[in-house]
């Protein structure tokens, strides 16, 4: 119905559907929660055991705020009975079967937790076999951000229809360490301009993407980036520098698009580290390679799989990316993305309209795919140089592009 044309102005995803979703999230759920809790209480499905309070120096901590290393926090019990159980590893003190988690600590009113790095505390009260609701709080500390790495630079994206490729640039960061990171106040000071807002937390193993244009990025990748930076990435290479809130340099190096740096990222691929959790010098070109697929792998590992993460949905339409290299001799790589499982046929046609090679003819799953066209036949002879057409058919959708073979 959001595409209904029986109105003066046809409804669309961005003008109508997404604002309605935002309205539900912002104006319905916050007011609906207390009503649902009252209904659960009346049905005997929600008890009245008060969850623990978090206290520092006798004062309650009610929201996320940056604390100094060594800060002591205790979980206070205001029920008059029961035992407080808490965890600092992000898990729930209560297991699914109602028993106490092995990682939970029993805490008396006088017991404190000393915060040395950004920590997420979860606590409940267990009273006569019944658990209180969960109380969770994150206490950011200005951490050592050594585990923060730049894991993808997409500096030369391909155009997307009428969308200029410059609007599809992005930079990806990853927490490669074993503790939650607090990026509050960290900022890019060279290459692009961006400052991380208050209480920006990055879990262990998690990714964070910054893009040049949030809506354009969402159009291609199916999710919105964490933030939108100003400035543009130089296609010929430039310095990137990230500093912490105090201005100390965390990451600084200069990438390039010429040998010995990988050259494929100049043609729609992204620049990614050779290791999934990079530990080497980012200024060394030997520690970088081109992404496995055109458009890169925003928000997930670039491990060569075509699996789509929960955050990176498949596109809404068939995408055929420009082959690389082009012109080529004798091989070229062709990447494409399917919106759904379909019977796929890819053929190469010469300038006379004759089919000279079938590259794909099978059912394939939704997601990204890549095929290599070797223009040589079984005897090693190459096709004549000239212009060729790659035609891709997936279900009822068809895409075509030109390729140039040169001797």
């Amino acid at each position: 119905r959001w595409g209904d044309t029986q109105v003066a102005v046809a409804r669309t995803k961005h003008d109508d559907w997404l604002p309605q979703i935002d309205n539900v999230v912002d104006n319905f759920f916050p007011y609906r929660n207390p009503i649902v809790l009252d209904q659960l209480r009346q049905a005997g499905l929600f008890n009245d055991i008060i969850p623990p309070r978090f206290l520092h120096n006798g004062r309650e901590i009610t929201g996320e705020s940056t604390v100094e290393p060594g800060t002591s926090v205790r979980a206070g019990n205001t029920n008059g009975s029961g035992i407080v159980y808490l965890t600092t590893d992000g898990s729930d003190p209560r297991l699914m079967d109602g028993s106490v988690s092995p990682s939970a600590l029993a805490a008396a009113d006088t017991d404190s937790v000393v915060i040395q790095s950004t920590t997420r505390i979860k606590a409940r009260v267990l009273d006569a076999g019944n658990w209180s609701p969960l109380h969770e709080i994150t206490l950011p500390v200005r951490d050592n951000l050594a585990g923060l790495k730049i894991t993808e630079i997409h500096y030369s994206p391909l155009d997307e229809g009428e969308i200029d490729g410059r609007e599809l640039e992005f930079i990806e960061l990853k927490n490669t360490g074993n503790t939650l990171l607090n990026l509050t106040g960290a900022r890019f000071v060279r290459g692009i301009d961006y400052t991380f807002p208050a209480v920006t937390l990055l879990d262990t193993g998690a990714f964070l993407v910054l893009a040049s244009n949030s809506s354009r990025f969402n159009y291609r990748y199916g999710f919105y980036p964490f933030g939108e930076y100003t400035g543009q990435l130089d296609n010929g290479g430039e310095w990137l520098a990230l500093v912490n809130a105090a201005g100390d340099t965390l990451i600084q190096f200069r990438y390039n698009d010429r040998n010995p740096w990988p050259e494929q990222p100049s043609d729609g691929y992204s620049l990614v580290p050779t290791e999934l959790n990079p530990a080497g010098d980012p200024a060394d070109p030997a520690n970088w390679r081109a992404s496995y697929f055109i458009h890169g792998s925003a928000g997930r590992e670039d491990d060569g799989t075509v699996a789509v993460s929960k955050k990176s949905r498949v596109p809404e339409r068939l995408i055929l990316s420009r082959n690389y290299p082009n012109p080529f001799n004798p091989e070229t790589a062709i990447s494409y993305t399917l919106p759904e499982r379909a019977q796929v046929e890819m053929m190469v046609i010469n300038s006379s309209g004759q089919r000279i090679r079938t590259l794909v003819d099978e059912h394939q799953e939704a997601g990204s795919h890549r095929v290599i066209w070797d223009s040589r036949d079984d005897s090693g002879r190459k096709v004549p140089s000239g212009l060729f057409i790659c035609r891709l058919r997936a279900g009822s959708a068809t895409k075509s592009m030109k390729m140039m073979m040169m001797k």
Side-chain angles (χ1 to χ4, degrees):
R1 292 187 59 189
W2 292 104
D4 189 358
T5 58
Q6 305 303 313
V7 292
V9 178
R11 298 185 179 96
T12 66
K13 173 182 176 181
H14 292 286
D15 294 335
D16 298 279
W17 174 247
L18 292 180
Q20 287 294 329
I21 295 297
D22 291 339
N23 181 58
V24 171
V25 172
D26 296 336
N27 300 316
F28 178 79
F29 288 142
Y31 302 101
R32 182 63 181 165
N33 286 351
I35 297 174
V36 173
L37 290 178
D38 286 340
Q39 291 173 333
L40 292 173
R41 287 191 181 98
Q42 293 172 13
L45 299 175
F46 191 87
N47 63 53
D48 290 321
I49 302 175
I50 301 172
R53 297 187 304 155
F54 295 113
L55 305 166
H56 171 59
N57 291 337
R59 301 181 62 180
E60 185 173 4
I61 305 172
T62 59
E64 294 176 335
S65 58
T66 301
V67 300
E68 296 300 320
T71 298
S72 295
V73 177
R74 66 183 182 87
N77 183 2
T78 60
N79 291 279
S81 61
I83 301 174
V84 173
Y85 287 93
L86 62 84
T87 61
T88 58
D89 62 357
S91 64
D92 194 322
R94 181 192 66 186
L95 295 180
M96 292 295 292
D97 61 5
S99 61
V100 179
S101 169
S103 62
L105 303 173
D109 279 346
T110 57
D111 294 338
S112 297
V113 174
V114 178
I115 306 300
Q116 297 293 357
S117 61
T118 298
T119 303
R120 181 173 291 127
I121 305 176
K122 295 185 177 182
R124 295 179 187 266
V125 174
L126 177 60
D127 189 3
N130 295 312
W131 288 92
S132 75
L134 179 69
H135 189 184
E136 174 183 347
I137 192 169
T138 300
L139 298 175
V141 174
R142 288 189 174 88
D143 296 325
N144 175 356
L145 300 178
L148 183 66
K149 306 291 182 180
I150 294 177
T151 50
E152 193 162 6
I153 307 169
H154 198 22
Y155 62 79
S156 185
L158 300 179
D159 296 345
E160 183 80 30
E162 297 181 356
I163 301 175
D164 191 303
R166 291 176 298 179
E167 297 187 78
L168 294 163
E169 294 177 355
F170 69 82
I171 284 183
E172 175 193 272
L173 297 101
K174 180 183 179 182
N175 178 0
T176 64
N178 54 15
T179 61
L180 186 69
L181 294 183
N182 175 21
L183 275 58
T184 300
R187 61 191 187 277
F188 277 94
V189 294
R190 298 188 71 176
I192 59 173
D193 294 315
Y194 183 82
T195 300
F196 289 96
V199 197
T200 299
L201 306 176
L202 191 60
D203 279 314
T204 299
F207 295 93
L208 183 152
V209 178
L210 302 175
S212 61
N213 185 310
S214 292
S215 61
R216 299 304 197 192
F217 179 91
N218 176 61
Y219 182 78
R220 169 169 283 178
Y221 296 99
F223 69 99
Y224 283 95
F226 177 84
E228 184 176 294
Y229 58 74
T230 58
Q232 295 288 158
L233 297 171
D234 193 322
N235 289 359
E238 65 179 329
W239 283 95
L240 289 174
L242 176 67
V243 301
N244 63 16
D248 301 322
T249 300
L250 299 172
I251 303 171
Q252 181 170 263
F253 66 97
R254 183 177 183 178
Y255 69 88
N256 212 314
D257 69 337
R258 296 183 296 277
N259 187 57
W261 285 82
E263 298 180 10
Q264 277 183 294
S266 295
D267 293 275
Y269 294 82
S270 64
L271 189 65
V272 299
T274 55
E275 300 177 340
L276 295 182
N277 291 312
D281 182 2
D284 186 350
N287 291 325
W288 296 88
R289 61 171 174 81
S291 60
Y292 285 111
F293 298 103
I294 283 180
H295 305 325
S297 52
R300 60 186 177 91
E301 303 286 11
D302 192 87
D303 55 6
T305 66
V306 298
V308 181
S309 68
K310 292 181 180 179
K311 291 185 177 180
S312 180
R313 301 189 303 273
V314 295
E316 299 175 352
R317 66 199 186 289
L318 177 66
I319 296 175
L320 175 62
S321 301
R322 187 174 63 182
N323 61 302
Y324 179 85
N326 192 38
F328 66 95
N329 182 5
E331 296 181 350
T332 189
I334 305 167
S335 297
Y336 55 100
T337 308
L338 306 177
E340 58 187 2
R341 176 177 169 81
Q343 172 66 32
V344 177
E345 182 184 46
M346 178 183 287
M347 65 186 77
V348 178
I349 301 170
N350 64 19
S351 56
S352 300
Q354 299 172 318
R355 181 190 304 197
I356 63 170
R357 191 74 55 85
T358 297
L359 302 179
V360 180
D361 186 10
E362 63 182 13
H363 273 87
Q364 293 185 333
E365 299 295 331
S368 299
H369 300 267
R370 185 169 181 255
V371 63
I372 303 295
W373 176 34
D374 185 341
S375 61
R376 295 166 293 195
D377 60 22
D378 293 338
S379 62
R381 292 177 300 182
K382 302 176 185 176
V383 297
S385 60
L387 181 67
F388 294 88
I389 303 296
C390 172
R391 180 170 297 165
L392 172 67
R393 179 181 291 111
S396 60
T398 302
K399 294 282 186 179
S400 298
M401 68 174 176
K402 298 177 181 178
M403 304 183 294
M404 179 64 70
M405 163 67 178
M406 295 184 66
K407 291 186 177 178

